[in-house]
Amino acid sequence: MFLYNTLTKKVEDFKPINPPKVGVYACGPTVYDYAHLGHMRKYVGDDILVRTLKYVGFEPKLVMNITDVGHLTSDADTGEDKMEKGAQKHGLNVWDLANKFTQQFFDSTTALNVKPPDIVCKATDHIPEQIELIKKLEVKGYTYKTDDGIYFNTSKFSGYDKLSGMKLNKLKEGARVETNPQKKNQTDFALWKFTPSGVRRQMEWPSPWGKGFPGWHIECSSMSMKYLGEQFDIHTGGIDHVPIHHTNEIAQSEAATGKIPFVRYWVHHAFLSVDGQKMSKSLDNLFTVADVTKKGINPLALRYLYLTTHYRKTLNFTWKGLAAARRGLERLTESVRRFQTDQQRLSLSPEKLKKIDAYRQEFDTAISSDLDLPQALAIAWEVVKSNIPSTDKYDLLRDFDSVFGLNLAQTTSQVEVLPESLEKLVKQRDSLRLAGDFTGADKIRQKLLQLGFVIEDTPTGTKVKKGKETNETLS
Ligand code: AMP
Ligand code: ZN
């Protein structure tokens, strides 16, 4: 398996520390507002990485954090606290805010068929671990105190720019304007911030340096090392994390343990953009998974859309693009269901057997080549169009789907295979709903009922089952 490693700027043969085990740490969401389709691209990307590792025979363990404290609006460790600001905006206390948006995040990933991480860890549940790590850095002489907190002295750590490849003066230029004038170097970052005197924060803890809260980066170092060891295999994040968050994670982790490298492979996902700009809370150009389902679109169409672009390339989101992905997903699903019902086993000619083997190999090569999912999807379509028997198409596509995660091969007990005329009615109803014609949509629902079919609008799309309407389906 080959992966692009931001640390070496090369596609490398992936060799874990203790094969077949693979430790993976994913930077999780900051839960101060709605998780959007940009976030989802990154977490579907992590899910694809983990599924691929499993497919090729590794045993990955995925740890993901929840940032519920310490992330300030400025990268220079000044500005407002995102959580406290979010709490004001939503009229909640910070703890309820964190719960609300953690739930919304997992509702979204679940709708996209993202498997839950093996360990989910919250920053606020790991304050003692973060304090311990800062103490270690203090003993080794990497820290200093200013009026507003304890800082990491980046000039004491050689190789600070090894991940970003940016010279220190470039990093300085990239930093935001509001800075703490007591900082010794512009790239120095907060490990612990003090609660300002006369202020009572909703989230604050005692520490050897005074009451306050941890800086943003320290949580990821302490939790990843707690659950995966002082050195581990893969760390993921969006590309925005390269110059600051991950650069700082490496500096403080390697300084504390003396073990280099902290992480062997750094995997960074490109953005989902809108009109050429990153989809983000601060730019107010975001859509959520709920916006997708409200339009009657199966969220897995979004997953399909993500798979059509390599994870290291920017993907521009448009509703038109999503509609095309939806058609792609529907056609692929219909094909797989057709192959599923056509369960005739034939004895195969050697040529056909070879072809089946070749498809399997091409798929393995694609996913192992730095997760080339667009190519893997193209191979799935070749299988659909090929002349191999339906049973073998079905077997291949079901195996491929263990990486795609598109639920192509749902069992007939979950979803009825519908006659074509009924599917037309369902699609017609979806379009009416999309256009806001709920009376028209309801007429079709009634018609389907008369034909003995019940319709359910679930977060993962419209489902149709044989049977009568009950209170549960009447939503
Ligand atoms: P945050 O909640 O801002 O801490 O972001 C959580 C993760 O989502 C980070 O790894 C970000 O890089 C990633 N992310 C945020 N916005 C986008 C986007 N528009 N496209 C892709 N990834 C994103
Ligand atoms: Zn992180």
Side-chain angles (χ1 to χ4, degrees):
M1 168 146 174
F2 291 84
L3 274 182
Y4 180 82
N5 185 356
T6 314
L7 193 59
T8 57
K9 327 266 176 300
K10 280 195 233 131
V11 174
E12 287 181 49
D13 193 0
F14 176 67
K15 299 235 183 299
I17 299 167
N18 295 309
K21 305 239 180 281
V22 177
V24 186
Y25 184 86
C27 278
T30 309
V31 284
Y32 70 106
D33 213 323
Y34 292 96
H36 53 72
L37 304 187
H39 294 119
M40 291 306 115
R41 181 179 189 203
K42 194 259 169 188
Y43 296 101
V44 167
D46 286 341
D47 189 47
I48 294 287
L49 168 66
V50 168
R51 284 168 182 261
T52 301
L53 287 166
K54 277 189 194 152
Y55 189 92
V56 301
F58 291 114
E59 292 171 18
K61 172 177 170 186
L62 176 65
V63 178
M64 189 193 76
N65 68 306
I66 299 284
T67 299
D68 54 357
V69 67
H71 199 161
L72 304 186
T73 50
S74 156
D75 293 335
D77 291 313
T78 54
E80 291 173 274
D81 177 322
K82 289 192 178 189
M83 293 299 292
E84 303 244 349
K85 199 175 161 193
Q88 271 173 16
K89 176 177 161 191
H90 294 278
L92 294 167
N93 73 47
V94 276
W95 302 97
D96 290 344
L97 181 87
N99 284 340
K100 176 182 163 112
F101 290 116
T102 302
Q103 189 57 49
Q104 185 264 343
F105 171 83
F106 282 115
D107 287 348
S108 307
T109 54
T110 305
L112 286 170
N113 207 17
V114 170
K115 290 188 178 151
D118 298 286
I119 293 175
V120 175
C121 41
K122 289 193 213 170
T124 51
D125 285 342
H126 296 78
I127 301 296
E129 287 87 343
Q130 296 177 68
I131 291 177
E132 278 314 303
L133 193 56
I134 302 169
K135 279 207 276 204
K136 250 190 192 174
L137 291 168
E138 188 176 40
V139 170
K140 292 192 170 188
Y142 283 100
T143 66
Y144 64 93
K145 189 175 169 183
T146 73
D147 290 346
D148 75 353
I150 304 294
Y151 281 77
F152 182 93
N153 187 340
T154 51
S155 66
K156 295 224 164 151
F157 179 75
S158 70
Y160 181 72
D161 58 355
K162 63 185 167 191
L163 185 70
S164 69
M166 286 160 100
K167 291 278 156 270
L168 275 189
N169 57 356
K170 278 271 178 240
L171 286 169
K172 271 184 216 165
E173 279 169 26
R176 308 268 176 95
V177 271
E178 338 153 39
T179 53
N180 172 351
Q182 293 175 317
K183 269 170 45 167
K184 294 188 178 170
N185 310 283
Q186 198 134 24
T187 45
D188 293 354
F189 54 92
L191 297 164
W192 188 262
K193 293 270 293 191
F194 304 134
T195 302
S197 65
V199 172
R200 188 162 157 63
R201 285 176 46 90
Q202 293 187 53
M203 280 180 172
E204 56 184 13
W205 294 265
S207 84
W209 314 280
K211 201 162 45 175
F213 61 101
W216 170 35
H217 319 294
I218 197 76
E219 65 172 272
C220 285
S221 288
S222 42
M223 293 192 283
S224 62
M225 291 200 272
K226 171 169 179 175
Y227 295 108
L228 296 170
E230 291 182 342
Q231 291 181 293
F232 59 93
D233 300 302
I234 304 177
H235 195 312
T236 74
I239 42 166
D240 51 334
H241 285 349
V242 176
I244 297 172
H245 183 49
H246 290 166
T247 286
N248 293 346
E249 261 191 62
I250 292 176
Q252 66 201 0
S253 307
E254 292 184 356
T257 66
K259 293 183 182 163
I260 298 174
F262 161 51
V263 175
R264 310 211 352 179
Y265 301 85
W266 286 87
V267 171
H268 289 103
H269 303 259
F271 290 142
L272 183 74
S273 63
V274 184
D275 301 329
Q277 281 192 300
K278 176 189 176 192
M279 183 180 282
S280 71
K281 291 162 194 169
S282 46
L283 291 174
D284 201 20
N285 61 355
L286 55 86
F287 300 108
T288 63
V289 171
D291 293 329
V292 170
T293 48
K294 258 186 244 149
K295 285 181 184 275
I297 302 171
N298 179 349
L300 292 180
L302 195 59
R303 189 167 171 116
Y304 187 100
L305 176 71
Y306 295 149
L307 300 188
T308 59
T309 302
H310 189 260
Y311 77 94
R312 285 197 290 124
K313 286 200 180 126
T314 306
L315 169 61
N316 195 50
F317 178 80
T318 60
W319 288 103
K320 211 168 146 198
L322 182 58
R326 177 193 195 175
R327 282 192 298 279
L329 175 67
E330 280 172 2
R331 278 174 36 228
L332 195 55
T333 312
E334 278 160 21
S335 306
V336 173
R337 304 244 171 95
R338 217 173 43 244
F339 305 145
Q340 188 172 12
T341 46
D342 187 9
Q343 286 290 334
Q344 203 187 4
R345 284 260 167 218
L346 302 169
S347 57
L348 293 179
S349 63
E351 290 76 39
K352 281 198 178 147
L353 277 173
K354 246 198 206 151
K355 214 166 178 179
I356 293 167
D357 236 31
Y359 283 134
R360 210 175 271 288
Q361 233 149 47
E362 280 173 34
F363 179 82
D364 281 17
T365 307
I367 58 169
S368 307
S369 304
D370 193 27
L371 312 168
D372 192 348
L373 268 295
Q375 176 61 13
L377 207 52
I379 294 161
W381 278 109
E382 273 182 43
V383 169
V384 169
K385 290 172 192 154
S386 73
N387 62 357
I388 61 172
S390 296
T391 39
D392 297 286
K393 287 185 185 181
Y394 176 71
D395 289 349
L396 278 171
L397 293 166
R398 198 196 42 200
D399 287 353
F400 295 176
D401 196 37
S402 62
V403 175
F404 296 148
L406 292 169
N407 279 352
L408 297 175
Q410 290 183 22
T411 58
T412 38
S413 62
Q414 275 173 286
V415 170
E416 293 284 342
V417 179
L418 295 177
E420 233 173 275
S421 55
L422 283 187
E423 271 197 40
K424 267 196 192 137
L425 280 174
V426 174
K427 277 192 192 147
Q428 216 177 328
R429 179 176 170 274
D430 282 348
S431 322
L432 289 171
R433 276 166 52 83
L434 194 58
D437 181 357
F438 296 103
T439 322
D442 209 50
K443 274 192 193 144
I444 298 187
R445 181 195 200 110
Q446 295 300 335
K447 198 163 174 184
L448 284 163
L449 258 180
Q450 282 164 9
L451 295 167
F453 288 90
V454 189
I455 268 204
E456 265 180 73
D457 296 309
T458 72
T460 48
T462 311
K463 287 191 176 156
V464 183
K465 285 188 199 154
K466 266 195 186 127
K468 290 195 183 122
E469 215 151 49
T470 64
N471 283 342
E472 273 162 74
T473 56
L474 271 173
S475 54

